[in-house]
Amino acid sequence: MPIAHAQYLQVEVWRSAAAGHFQTFRVPRRENQTVLDVVTEIQREQDPTLAYRFACRVGMCGSCAMVVNGRPRWTCRTRVDVGLGTAAMLRLEPLRNFTVVKDLAVEMSAFFDKWRDAKGHFEPGPSPPRDFAVVPPASPQRQAADAGIECIGCGVCYAACDVVAWEPAYLGPAALNRAWTLVNDVRDAGSAARMEAVAAGAGCHLCHTHKSCTQFCPKGLAPTYAIAGLKRATVAQALRRRP
């Protein structure tokens, strides 16, 4: 069935790398259409050179994250028909605070390097325990760890973070959130080195508590509160070390 003119979307897409430009496409508007559907249709039907990234399409991997009309979000979970009206226009950009590889695809190595720098890996210690650890679900440590454990590393919080924009060395909300979950993991034996890492100059004390990471997290996590927990813990540790 022919689609009326009013049923088309005007889509502005960022092209090239850092010194690029916006290119406008016209895409048919469809029922239950997601932003990722729009990008896929442009790439398949209009310009096969358009670069972007996706995998699962169901909100499990986070690799389709982009800036949609100024807001970082998962494009597979963002429907076109929510709040855009009849004269809909989409402006699509790559995630901010990342190096652009091409068009809507970004390089995430530095983002994950900061997870490493924040000691965001489980450290079992020199020898494994003889039995499984018993961690009651109601314990404060378990609840604090559970609050942030569902992060999948999509980079939305990092793209939304003003401090990362001002200070590229800042570890960022995702890495610090991961560090906080491990600080509260009673089985982990690496907290001493981890606390040193997150208390350093590019660590948790750079956070200005703007809460952008918490506002935009697609998983509904609150990295702001994880970072606040690290601030309290590192200050308490410093006070204990005073003569």
Side-chain angles (χ1 to χ4, degrees), residues 206-218:
L206 274 183
C207 175
H208 289 206
T209 320
H210 289 172
K211 297 187 179 180
S212 298
C213 54
T214 297
Q215 177 185 357
F216 293 110
C217 177

Side-chain angles (χ1 to χ4, degrees), residues 12 16 18 56 85 94 132 147-148 155 157 162 172-174 179 188 206 208 214 232:
E12 296 182 352
S16 190
C56 72
F132 291 106
C157 65
D162 296 321
D188 181 85
L206 274 183
H208 289 206
T214 297
R232 293 191 301 269

Side-chain angles (χ1 to χ4, degrees), residues 176-194:
L176 292 171
N177 177 77
R178 174 60 178 164
W180 178 241
T181 65
L182 290 168
V183 165
N184 286 282
D185 191 330
V186 298
R187 305 165 302 166
D188 181 85
S191 279
R194 188 173 300 111

Side-chain angles (χ1 to χ4, degrees), residues 1-10 26-30 33 85-88:
M1 179 181 296
I3 300 176
H5 177 76
Q7 292 178 293
Y8 279 83
L9 293 166
Q10 179 177 316
R26 193 164 173 261
V27 179
R29 189 168 183 169
R30 309 184 191 282
Q33 187 177 31
T86 56

Side-chain angles (χ1 to χ4, degrees), residues 54-73:
F54 75 96
C56 72
R57 303 185 69 96
V58 293
M60 295 293 290
C61 71
S63 62
C64 69
M66 304 172 197
V67 176
V68 182
N69 288 357
R71 177 182 179 128
R73 58 196 310 164

Side-chain angles (χ1 to χ4, degrees), residues 2 5 18 28-29 48-50 63 67 74 103 105 107 120 123 130 140-141 150 163 173 221 238:
H5 177 76
R29 189 168 183 169
T49 68
L50 176 62
S63 62
V67 176
W74 294 346
D103 302 336
E107 171 58 60
E123 176 53 62
R130 294 184 178 181
Q141 294 87 351
E150 295 298 326
V163 180
L221 306 182

Side-chain angles (χ1 to χ4, degrees), residues 3 6 24 32 58 68 89 94 101 110 116 131 135 150 155 157 167 193 199 205 208 210-211 230 236:
I3 300 176
T24 302
N32 299 321
V58 293
V68 182
M89 187 193 80
V101 177
R116 176 202 62 201
D131 201 355
V135 186
E150 295 298 326
C157 65
E167 178 48 75
H205 295 285
H208 289 206
H210 289 172
K211 297 187 179 180
L230 288 174

